[in-house]
Amino acid sequence: MKVGIVGAGMVGSAAGYALALLHAAAEIVFVDAKPDLAVAQAEDIAHAVPFVGAVRVSAGDYDALAGAGVVILAAGVPQKPGESRLSLLSRNADVFAAAIDRVRAAAPDALLVVASNPVDIMTGIARKASGLPSGRVIGSGTILDTARFRTLLAEHLGVAAQSVHAAVLGEHGDSEVLAWSAAQVGGQPLAACAAKLGVTLDDAVRAAIDDGVRRAAYRIIAGKGATWYGIGAGLARIVQAIRDDQRAVLTVSTLTHVAGIADVTLSLPRVVGAGGVTATLLPDLTAEETAALHRSAQVLREAAAGLW
């Protein structure tokens, strides 16, 4: 499958590199407002390809996206140290929306995968601007937050992260909700697994993990200016699910109408395959978690008001 990447900065290039290493695309095409940057990223990644397999990597203008099955939208300005994702909105919305018509003209059948922050709102803008059904416009949402949650739980328990099933819901941002009550390890409830392993899982541990997940981006941005490897791999994972029609359950962001939440774009566990998002699997939550999810939805609803 051919994959286009609009935005050849750190997130877009990390996604392209992950796609190449994972053999998640047969062809990768970069498009950027700085053509020299797109060419340089494509050439650099192409030089890694002989070590991993056969992937064609190139750069071009929007017309080079013709025939793409997926287009990743990673254009926009980066998040500054201390800046929330929502505060990026006014700076990013104009930059982002301008690309949608050109993408659709070049690749009308492509699914859109949105990475630009604030990703939930940008996904909503992309859905409206593109005219595509909501399931064919997928935001990376909390796929990275979920990976962080699983990683920290795995480290605390002393197990592989792949054996941890836990999700972060709602906004990809400060109001996100860690669904502790639904977390499982090896098919067992989290608390039961921790007890069998002899590992403490008290309020202090939970608070530390919550902070580790919720504040991860701020710490990384303070240390190196931006985050890109984790989200690059997450974007490649979404593309894999689409390309192979895996119907994988991933916490991605789309327009939501479930459990009293309506007309807002946020993340829940979704079934992702060749047609995009085909179903939502809302986990059983506590009353406190449900209330927090509704608050997260309201944060996003208020931020998006008047934009579309």
Side-chain angles (χ1 to χ4, degrees), residues 12-24:
S13 62
Y17 188 52
L19 285 165
L21 292 185
L22 293 171
H23 304 163

Side-chain angles (χ1 to χ4, degrees), residues 204-229:
V205 170
R206 289 173 182 250
I209 291 175
D210 183 283
D211 181 74
V213 174
R214 197 177 300 275
R215 303 294 300 175
Y218 294 108
R219 289 191 299 274
I220 294 169
I221 290 167
K224 69 173 193 175
T227 67
W228 55 80
Y229 292 126

Side-chain angles (χ1 to χ4, degrees), residues 2-7 16 19 25 27-32 38 42 55-66 68 70-72:
K2 180 176 179 178
V3 177
I5 301 176
V6 177
L19 285 165
E27 183 178 357
I28 301 165
V29 179
F30 284 99
V31 176
D32 196 274
V55 181
R56 297 186 301 279
V57 188
S58 63
D61 203 344
Y62 282 90
D63 58 1
L65 299 174
V70 173
V71 174
I72 295 172

